[in-house]
Amino acid sequence: MSETQYGRGDESPSSPFLNDQRLKIIGIAASGLFTLAVVGFLGVILYTQVNPDRFVNIIHPQFIDAFFVVLRIVAISSVLSVTGGMLVGLGRISETLPTRGIAKGYIEFFRGTPLLFQLIVIYSGIPAFWPPGQFPIANFSVPAAIIGLTLNHSAYIGEAIRGGVEAVPDGQMEAARSLGMSYAQAMREVVLPQAWRNALAAIGNDQVILVKDTSLLSVLAVPEIISTVQNINSATFDIWTPILWAAILYLAITIPLGKFVRYLEARADPTGGPR
Amino acid sequence: MSTRPLVEYESVDKYFGETHVLKEVDLAVEEQEVVVVVGPSGSGKSTLLRCANRLEEIQGGEIRIAGDLISGPDANVNRLRQQVGMVFQSFNLFPHMTATENVAVGPRKVKGVPESEATKRADDLLGRVGLGDQTASYPAELSGGQQQRVAIARALAMDPKVMLFDEVTSALDPELVGEVLGVMKDLATEGMTMLTVTHEMGFAREVGDRIVLMSDGEVVEQGAPESFFESPETERGERFLERLL
């Protein structure tokens, strides 16, 4: 695997460093050692800590449930936070001072305080306005999780979109307005499509973080992956089997998500993409 | 129809902060006239042009397009801009659209022309600027000269009454300048009214009906190309021409 990658460097000697034989040997040695260490560590874990029978048959149904809980929360929060982030981002670049100020304050608060804090405010703080036991939503943990993740990630996506818009040269707006387009038309037809492309990588990055942020939902008693690890560990005293399952399940979401974002980026590329 | 000039500047003042960049400028461009504005860098030529479709606000005076005030607070800027085609030094093509889409987007979105009709017209215009075989190309796939010709077609697609050219060849490699000037010359021959800022004195002399010399935000001299280039009336004009040699 690493062999072929180094081979590719040979064919395009763009930098003198790539042709340095010694550097190449050091690189191969370092990556070889690293691979060996990882494989060895995994081998030791699998051999000494994990019972293959239990790995496959006993534990995984609980994880499958947790996986789908996480997947559902991610799917909903993802759609809502990208939509919310658009609004926040547009507010941030608005020419109206109050709109811009509100968007800025929103971003400062939700980026400036920990997500865990925000989740507690929503999950425990909001029901406190009702007399004990009177809060109308019975199972508030999943709704609270979705609200918290959405509000938090809308702030990050808003910033990504603002950055994307600011990276579009002023001449684009001028050219569009010179054709007689209104400000809104110029934004819709010319600026935002380019801003979206500019912001895609940052938005994708944020969505991967959103997946990993679901690990915090254990404090809201959401039956997600980390709380499943802890439950199984305290019931069976087995830690490495649930840890391995957790790793597999997180990567099962984040790796395809990353690929999907790269696909969107390629599709949005004006010369390499559509038609 | 009207006998009024297509573009009228009346004692126009423009400031960038403290800097007085246009000083009581008076200028009129008659129908079918090709006016070429020349002058040293920083003399206000580009600003003068950009005020004509209100990409810049002016602080004093008036600017009219075909008799309609474009500089006032009540001006219908979006409507008046449709009558003024603008071509920029840096092309400013829309990178996410093909050449055809770049040219068709204005008529489609601003005038509501149906897509099939706008596309056909766009391809015709691209043919007119010599790019009939590049209609499906994205700007990144075109040379600078080709991009600038798409930009000219894009401005023409709105059927403007007057075209503004803002140093449109300054960003081009020397060997690509000719193809763009050729298209502009054809336009002038066909009777398009043009207000052009350029450093191409050969073009100014050959195609221009009138040369306007600007210096420090003022129009210091204007006249027919032959008289301007042979025997400038002002000392400022003489110095400008001397420096060209």
Side-chain angles (χ1 to χ4, degrees):
Chain A
M1 184 99 156
S2 56
E3 278 295 329
T4 53
Q5 271 183 342
Y6 282 96
R8 266 219 313 264
D10 257 349
E11 289 150 26
S12 55
S14 51
S15 154
F17 289 111
L18 291 179
N19 286 332
D20 190 313
Q21 280 299 321
R22 273 178 311 173
L23 210 59
K24 208 153 90 177
I25 289 165
I26 292 170
I28 293 172
S31 50
L33 276 175
F34 180 72
T35 310
L36 218 66
V38 170
V39 169
F41 189 48
L42 264 176
V44 169
I45 291 166
L46 288 174
Y47 188 71
T48 65
Q49 303 289 326
V50 178
N51 177 330
D53 247 14
R54 248 209 340 255
F55 182 75
V56 180
N57 296 323
I58 304 173
I59 293 170
H60 84 263
Q62 298 177 43
F63 268 118
I64 299 303
D65 290 345
F67 178 76
F68 282 112
V69 167
V70 167
L71 206 58
R72 201 163 59 237
I73 291 174
V74 165
I76 298 171
S77 309
S78 203
V79 171
L80 291 180
S81 64
V82 171
T83 313
M86 293 272 207
L87 295 177
V88 173
L90 288 177
R92 190 72 178 73
I93 55 166
S94 164
E95 290 182 352
T96 318
L97 187 64
T99 312
R100 207 166 60 230
I102 289 166
K104 177 113 169 82
Y106 179 90
I107 290 169
E108 293 291 1
F109 179 79
F110 282 100
R111 284 201 317 178
T113 58
L115 174 58
L116 188 53
F117 164 81
Q118 294 159 18
L119 289 170
I120 291 168
V121 168
I122 294 161
Y123 181 63
S124 307
I126 305 270
F129 289 106
W130 278 263
Q134 301 288 301
F135 187 61
I137 304 172
N139 286 316
F140 190 48
S141 56
V142 170
I146 290 170
I147 294 168
L149 289 170
T150 298
L151 292 177
N152 182 268
H153 284 270
S154 294
Y156 286 95
I157 292 172
E159 274 299 90
I161 287 179
R162 177 189 67 85
V165 169
E166 283 176 357
V168 176
D170 291 345
Q172 292 290 310
M173 177 57 93
E174 289 187 351
R177 298 302 305 272
S178 293
L179 292 172
M181 286 189 197
S182 65
Y183 177 81
Q185 279 177 322
M187 286 300 282
R188 198 169 56 237
E189 302 296 331
V190 173
V191 177
L192 287 181
Q194 297 179 59
W196 173 252
R197 159 101 188 81
N198 295 340
L200 252 182
I203 292 173
N205 205 13
D206 173 78
Q207 296 296 292
V208 171
I209 294 172
L210 190 151
V211 173
K212 297 185 288 179
D213 278 348
T214 59
S215 59
L216 294 173
L217 302 180
S218 51
V219 297
L220 309 195
V222 173
E224 48 69 64
I225 293 170
I226 294 297
S227 53
T228 308
V229 170
Q230 287 166 336
N231 290 343
I232 290 171
N233 175 236
S234 52
T236 65
F237 301 106
D238 179 2
I239 184 64
W240 276 101
T241 308
I243 284 179
L244 279 181
W245 267 114
I248 291 168
L249 294 179
Y250 279 122
L251 292 173
I253 305 178
T254 52
I255 291 176
L257 182 59
K259 286 213 186 322
F260 177 63
V261 172
R262 273 195 297 281
Y263 160 76
L264 286 182
E265 284 185 74
R267 215 190 57 165
D269 189 326
T271 49
R275 79 181 62 194
Chain B
M1 287 297 118
S2 69
T3 51
R4 289 195 82 135
L6 273 187
V7 185
E8 290 170 275
Y9 294 81
E10 208 180 290
S11 59
V12 169
D13 276 305
K14 163 79 189 165
Y15 294 84
F16 284 126
E18 297 285 296
T19 322
H20 202 172
V21 285
L22 294 179
K23 298 169 185 165
E24 294 192 24
V25 171
D26 290 306
L27 183 69
V29 182
E30 304 291 338
E31 209 170 325
Q32 303 212 332
E33 193 183 20
V34 178
V35 172
V36 181
V37 184
V38 300
S41 299
S43 56
K45 310 183 297 284
S46 285
T47 307
L48 181 80
L49 222 63
R50 291 165 58 83
C51 289
N53 70 349
R54 204 164 169 173
L55 287 180
E56 304 286 353
E57 295 288 338
I58 59 174
Q59 279 75 48
E62 288 182 347
I63 300 177
R64 288 173 188 277
I65 301 297
D68 290 325
L69 199 63
I70 194 173
S71 58
D74 304 326
N76 186 340
V77 180
N78 292 342
R79 187 179 66 80
L80 288 174
R81 276 179 179 148
Q82 295 173 39
Q83 305 176 19
V84 183
M86 177 93 179
V87 186
F88 300 87
Q89 179 177 347
S90 49
F91 325 139
N92 297 348
L93 288 183
F94 307 134
H96 58 301
M97 301 182 190
T98 62
T100 300
E101 288 164 348
N102 262 280
V103 180
V105 69
R108 278 183 58 201
K109 299 298 169 185
V110 178
K111 290 185 168 174
V113 176
E115 183 171 359
S116 57
E117 195 182 317
T119 301
K120 191 181 168 302
R121 176 89 202 292
D123 289 344
D124 288 348
L125 282 166
L126 287 169
R128 237 175 97 187
V129 298
L131 292 171
D133 54 347
Q134 299 284 1
T135 54
S137 300
Y138 285 89
E141 300 166 330
L142 298 172
S143 74
Q146 290 173 326
Q147 289 189 53
Q148 196 58 297
R149 285 184 282 152
V150 175
I152 293 172
R154 178 176 68 178
L156 290 174
M158 296 300 290
D159 295 313
K161 289 180 174 161
V162 55
M163 289 282 284
L164 309 176
F165 293 92
D166 186 9
E167 300 196 29
V168 295
T169 57
S170 298
L172 296 177
D173 289 337
E175 74 267 24
L176 301 177
V177 168
E179 61 192 62
V180 172
L181 293 182
V183 168
M184 291 166 68
K185 196 177 151 188
D186 290 346
L187 274 179
T189 314
E190 288 160 23
M192 175 59 78
T193 309
M194 292 165 51
L195 179 55
T196 304
V197 169
T198 188
H199 293 291
E200 297 289 333
M201 293 305 149
F203 174 83
R205 193 168 182 157
E206 186 188 359
V207 181
D209 294 315
R210 181 153 50 104
I211 308 293
V212 172
L213 173 65
M214 285 195 72
S215 176
D216 290 329
E218 288 174 297
V219 173
V220 289
E221 178 169 350
Q222 47 181 317
E226 308 80 53
S227 58
F228 175 78
F229 285 108
E230 300 302 331
S231 52
E233 288 167 13
T234 62
E235 190 232 346
R236 190 68 194 79
E238 269 172 36
R239 268 194 289 143
F240 176 73
L241 289 174
E242 268 167 30
R243 253 181 240 157
L244 289 177
L245 296 176

